[in-house]
Every structure is written in structure tokens, then in C-alpha cells.
Amino acid sequence: MKPAPSLPTVTNNSPEAIETSSFNAFPNRPEPSNSGPVHTTGPSTSKGHVVRIRPSTPVSHATSPVTRKSSFVGTVHDPDSYVPPYSTLDRIGLLWNKISTFFISSSFLILVVLWASVGRILSVIPQWLKKGSGPHIYAWDDNADRWKKEHVVKDVAYYARQCGYDIKDEEVETQDGYFLRMHRVINPRHVPGPDGRGGFPVLILHGLFQSSGSFITSEERSLAFWLSEHGGYQVFLGNTRAVFGMGHRHLSRKDPRFWDWTIRELAMYDLPALVDWVCLATGYDKIAFIGHSQGNGVGFLSLSLGHRPELGDRLSCFIALAPAVFAGPLTHGFPFTILRKVKWKTWQRIFGVLDYIPLMRYSYDYVPPLIFSTMGYTMFAFLFEWTDTNWLKRRKNKMFRFTPTPVSSASIFWWCGEGGFADRQCTMDVDLPRWWDEHFPPLAIYYGGRDFLVRAEPLLERLETKENHIKVIRAEKVPLSEHCDFYWAADAVEWCFSSFMEDIESTRPASDASSEPQ
């Protein structure tokens, strides 16, 4: 990929004018040039494409986070498993690892799907035999026949156009060289404010195994479109590294170093890159941030001591949906109880050192959408106890056209393996007296009464006892909500969308009032 130029000044919010470039500016980051590749992860060498990626050694920046006590327990995998130059024997070993782990991990996936399918069939048989009243009819769902005719595709712009919007593909580069896909919602009904800027910007970040597609498949009641239409906001849908086939400035996706990252790199590099990009693209000093599950877990970690706490100065508010800080009771059951006993060396032999279970990636590309979405739902319903109880059933195939997405094997080991999240039951070091400082933005927490994957209560207790310097503007329990229902439930608009807007409006800087939502 060619280096991208710096962002131009944005003075117009029309669909034509808002198309901006993809350079993420950091204080100490060298400007791209045409003289050769830019090295952001290590010293230059005679071979410009050779870089060394070490998750345990973040790139230094203006605030020098390495000098601060970190709230994070640390990387639980060996970051130096594969560091070039490779010998012939190393290359043969790597090839064997790719082949053997593909079949082993694929067998694991097939076994899980078969087991889940049997359980699913046994659970729905009583429902088939029982005479019910049929699916619930919603008063607002008066155009159901039209939506049933939608195609199931993996193109976010297609779904946007069906609802009268568009989506622009933007590209963001992180400080450690990864390219991220940013989806920008284009609302043709928006006009610039008196100061020439568009509406107040909102960045939304997805959870583990998901993507920006999660926020645009609920038709006109999708979170991204609803905020754009009813709040007048400029909505940006971020994606973390490797999603939507995005690459690296120097590394191939076939290189183990490309996949050598966990949530720590997402917190150190991806979220700051996305936030800085939105600020530069819109001309605002602060933006609102909404994160779901791992998306807010990245935010909590990024804002913690030892990482990027100064990022809080660029966030007007932080809305956390299903906060991924403390583990829920689901992690005490199968398969988490087995996986958390697996050491990194064993994990590599089962799941490899590239993306986690590559068969999922091939299935995403080549399996018919209906089959892929059915298997995806079945697997996640089994593993995470997601159900479609609160969903419009016609949307399910669209939802799971974007789930699962590629994730590094090392990242899943951090969540599930020995010493990881399921083992420690927390993303942070609970023994530290303080996780966050005064940079932390106003915080709103939404958690579900039927969410068994994460727990919000221990986080709320810590905020009250040890982190009481943080301004908590809302802590709302949605009794009927499961893990993803804050944006997937048919009633999500009534449950919490208006509250999201209240949180954004109550915290946005007064100086930005000149760009009122249109």
C-alpha cells in the first residue's frame, strides 16, 4: 500500500467534501515520503521491509507510557516466537505448523459446531411441537415485506443504501504500521453547521469476532443510522486490525508477526489511531466514543495508567455497552475451563500463530451466506449463550454475515488461555490501587440482565470505591438485554438509543454548540 497524505482541512460536510485521506497523525510519527517505506516499529535496516513486532515493547511517543506503572497484567504469550531471519529449518517448521494447526483447529471448530447444532435442535424441538402465537409483531415494523427482500451480503454500503444512507471506506494507519478500515456514514440530509463543520462526531467500536457490520444490519433502526438521523451526528464505525482484509505497511498477512498482537496492541495503537483520525477528519477536538464488549475493553485499557490515559482528553464521553473488564459466570463453564489450562506452546500446536481457526476465514469468503450465518449463530449461541429471543428473526442472517471476523490466535489465547482473561477473571490488575487518572472522560455504562459473558457489578463497585474521581453519568441495567442486544434487539431503540443521545449531548463541549445536529 502506498503511504497516504496528511488530512486536509474539512470545511464542508457534503458527501463529496467529506471524502478525506487516511493518514493518522501522531506527535512523533514521521511523515510518509516517496523516498521509501517509513519505519515506525524499529530501526531502519538495509532491507526496508524488515520490521520486528514486539507486543511487549510499545513504540515510544510523547507521553512515554513505558515509564508509568501499568494497570495491565501483561502479555501472556511469547512475543518472540517467530523473529526473522528464518533459517530453512525454521521455514519448514512454520509451514508444518500452518498445515497441522489448520486441520487440528478446523476439527475443533467442526466438533463445536456439531455439538452446538445437536443442542440447538434438541432445544427447538419442543418449540416446534408447541403451538405458539407466532412471531411478535411490532407496531413500528410496517415495512417488513420490503426488508425481507434484502440480499444477504458482506457489503456494509449495500445495507446503508437500502436505508437512504451511504458509507465511505476510509483507511487509517496505526503507529505500528497496521491499516484499519473506517466506515463513515454519509447522510445526504445533513448540511454543515454555521462554523462549516458537520454534526458532532461519534466513534463506535465493535466487540471480539465482530466488525462495523454489527451496527448497520438492523435496517433503519440500526445504531449507526439512528444516531445519524435522529442525533444529527457524524457517525464513524471503527474496525480493529486484520478486519475486512486490511494489511500492514511492511508485513504480509501470511507472516506470523502480522498476527502477533493481543488487546494490548489494540489499546496502545488501534483506538488512539481511530480517535485521532476522527478528530482530524471532522475538525473537532473531542468526540463521543461508544464501545461494545471488547470495543470498550480496549477503551478501558487504553485509558489506563501505563498505556494512553491522555487519550481521555479527546473523548467527550465514553459509553460502554456490556463492559468487558470483569468476566461473567459463563467463563466458569466449558470450553473456558479447558482452554484456560492450555499453555502458549501447546496453544501454538493446536491453533497456530496466525489467525485463530483459519477455517472461519475461508468459510466467510466461500460458504453460502445462509449456511455461514446459520453456523455462526449456532456456534456463538453455544459458546456465549447468545440467543435470538429479542431479535427480529429476519435480521439474523444479515447480522451473522459479519460475525465471526478474523482475530489473531495470540489474542484469543490472551482471552481464553493460561493466565488470560478467563483465568484471571479481569482485564486489569485488581491488586493495583488505581487504574485510571483524571484524564478519564465522563463514563456511561449499560449492562444486560441476561448477559453471562461479562459482569458490570464489580466494575461499578470499583468505580465507587477506588476510582471515585471518574464521573459516572449513567449506570443502567437493561433487564432483558443479552450481550449484543444493545444494538441487535428489536427494542434496542426504546431500551437505550435515546439515552445514548442524552449522554452525548450532556457531555459535549459547550464550544461545539455552533454545530448543532441538523
Side-chain angles (χ1 to χ4, degrees):
M1 298 185 181
K2 296 180 179 180
S6 57
L7 280 169
T9 302
V10 178
T11 58
N12 191 319
N13 197 38
S14 67
E16 294 77 13
I18 63 173
E19 183 176 5
T20 56
S21 65
S22 58
F23 178 69
N24 172 51
F26 282 83
N28 293 339
R29 187 188 187 282
E31 192 79 24
S33 67
N34 296 325
S35 58
V38 176
H39 297 273
T40 59
T41 58
S44 59
T45 64
S46 57
K47 294 184 179 181
H49 64 281
V50 176
V51 290
R52 177 183 172 115
I53 306 299
R54 291 203 59 191
S56 58
T57 308
V59 175
S60 62
H61 49 84
T63 53
S64 189
V66 188
T67 63
R68 295 191 293 257
K69 178 70 175 178
S70 176
S71 303
F72 187 50
V73 173
T75 301
V76 292
H77 76 290
D78 177 13
D80 291 324
S81 300
Y82 291 96
V83 177
Y86 303 128
S87 66
T88 301
L89 188 60
D90 290 332
R91 294 180 184 278
I92 293 175
L94 180 57
L95 177 61
W96 169 249
N97 177 266
K98 290 180 179 180
I99 296 173
S100 62
T101 57
F102 175 82
F103 287 103
I104 295 172
S105 64
S106 297
S107 299
F108 172 80
L109 176 64
I110 292 171
L111 179 62
V112 168
V113 171
L114 289 176
W115 185 281
S117 298
V118 172
R120 175 66 177 167
I121 292 172
L122 293 177
S123 66
V124 299
I125 286 178
Q127 299 177 23
W128 291 341
L129 297 178
K130 182 181 178 180
K131 293 183 179 180
S133 58
H136 181 74
I137 304 298
Y138 296 90
W140 47 261
D141 192 24
D142 54 1
N143 206 7
D145 291 338
R146 175 200 167 190
W147 298 119
K148 290 178 181 178
K149 297 177 182 178
E150 272 191 322
H151 301 296
V152 179
V153 299
K154 49 186 179 182
D155 177 12
V156 294
Y158 168 81
Y159 294 112
R161 294 176 191 126
Q162 296 300 304
C163 300
Y165 306 87
D166 202 353
I167 283 182
K168 274 198 174 295
D169 288 348
E170 309 286 6
E171 190 175 276
V172 180
E173 184 179 354
T174 68
Q175 196 175 15
D176 61 340
Y178 284 84
F179 296 101
L180 312 178
R181 174 61 68 215
M182 178 81 83
H183 286 129
R184 184 171 187 165
V185 176
I186 307 300
N187 189 330
R189 292 166 292 283
H190 283 185
V191 297
D195 62 357
R197 298 181 298 178
F200 192 71
V202 179
L203 171 64
I204 308 176
L205 190 60
H206 60 84
L208 184 65
F209 286 119
Q210 295 194 304
S211 72
S212 56
S214 298
F215 307 110
I216 50 85
T217 52
S218 296
E219 295 135 14
E220 77 278 4
R221 289 167 65 91
S222 299
L223 177 58
F225 305 147
W226 196 92
L227 289 176
S228 174
E229 189 69 22
H230 296 274
Y233 304 120
Q234 296 185 74
V235 178
F236 294 82
L237 307 176
N239 291 281
T240 52
R241 57 188 63 190
V243 178
F244 287 110
M246 301 301 286
H248 188 275
R249 179 175 287 274
H250 309 293
L251 301 176
S252 163
R253 289 175 66 96
K254 298 179 181 179
D255 192 318
R257 293 170 297 166
F258 177 89
W259 298 99
D260 193 7
W261 48 268
T262 67
I263 190 176
R264 185 169 193 263
E265 284 63 58
L266 307 185
M268 286 295 299
Y269 304 118
D270 289 24
L271 181 57
L274 294 170
V275 171
D276 282 358
W277 194 94
V278 173
C279 289
L280 285 169
T282 61
Y284 284 83
D285 295 327
K286 288 179 177 282
I287 67 171
F289 173 61
I290 302 175
H292 171 251
S293 193
Q294 180 186 259
N296 62 61
V298 169
F300 283 116
L301 181 56
S302 185
L303 293 166
S304 70
L305 299 174
H307 290 81
R308 305 296 288 270
E310 68 281 355
L311 183 67
D313 294 335
R314 312 208 75 176
L315 303 180
S316 63
C317 69
F318 178 2
I319 301 175
L321 313 180
V325 177
F326 287 92
L330 191 62
T331 58
H332 295 292
F334 178 84
F336 299 99
T337 52
I338 302 298
L339 293 176
R340 70 188 185 196
K341 297 178 181 178
V342 180
K343 299 180 182 296
W344 173 239
K345 287 188 176 180
T346 303
W347 186 279
Q348 292 178 80
R349 299 188 185 104
I350 299 173
F351 299 109
V353 293
L354 302 177
D355 51 328
Y356 180 70
I357 310 184
L359 181 62
M360 292 194 295
R361 170 166 45 88
Y362 291 115
S363 301
Y364 178 82
D365 291 332
Y366 301 112
V367 172
L370 180 59
I371 297 176
F372 179 83
S373 58
T374 300
M375 292 298 99
Y377 169 74
T378 301
M379 180 178 68
F380 281 94
F382 170 72
L383 293 175
F384 302 142
E385 294 193 11
W386 298 357
T387 75
D388 57 4
T389 302
N390 298 319
W391 305 347
L392 276 182
K393 302 303 184 288
R394 69 167 184 265
R395 295 175 178 171
K396 188 159 63 174
N397 289 332
K398 296 184 290 185
M399 295 169 176
F400 282 87
R401 196 65 191 105
F402 297 101
T403 304
T405 57
V407 181
S408 74
S409 178
S411 185
I412 301 303
F413 179 75
W414 185 90
W415 284 106
C416 302
E418 183 185 58
F421 174 72
D423 194 9
R424 297 193 312 265
Q425 296 291 291
C426 186
T427 61
M428 318 282 274
D429 185 350
V430 295
D431 294 327
L432 289 178
R434 198 177 189 189
W435 288 345
W436 302 294
D437 64 15
E438 287 73 15
H439 291 283
F440 203 99
L443 175 65
I445 292 177
Y446 294 80
Y447 59 106
R450 297 179 180 177
D451 185 354
F452 307 109
L453 188 57
V454 297
R455 288 188 302 153
E457 290 83 0
L459 175 59
L460 294 173
E461 181 181 355
R462 182 169 181 112
L463 287 167
E464 184 177 353
T465 57
K466 295 185 178 182
E467 312 284 351
N468 52 19
H469 57 286
I470 294 177
K471 182 180 180 181
V472 179
I473 59 175
R474 190 186 303 266
E476 184 167 324
K477 181 177 182 178
V478 184
L480 299 180
S481 178
E482 298 182 17
H483 192 66
C484 297
D485 285 349
F486 302 101
Y487 51 91
W488 274 356
D491 286 323
V493 171
E494 288 73 24
W495 285 356
C496 48
F497 282 15
S498 295
S499 297
F500 296 165
M501 203 169 83
E502 290 175 7
D503 298 336
I504 295 170
E505 289 301 308
S506 66
T507 55
R508 60 183 292 185
S511 59
D512 291 330
S514 59
S515 289
E516 292 295 329
Q518 300 294 320

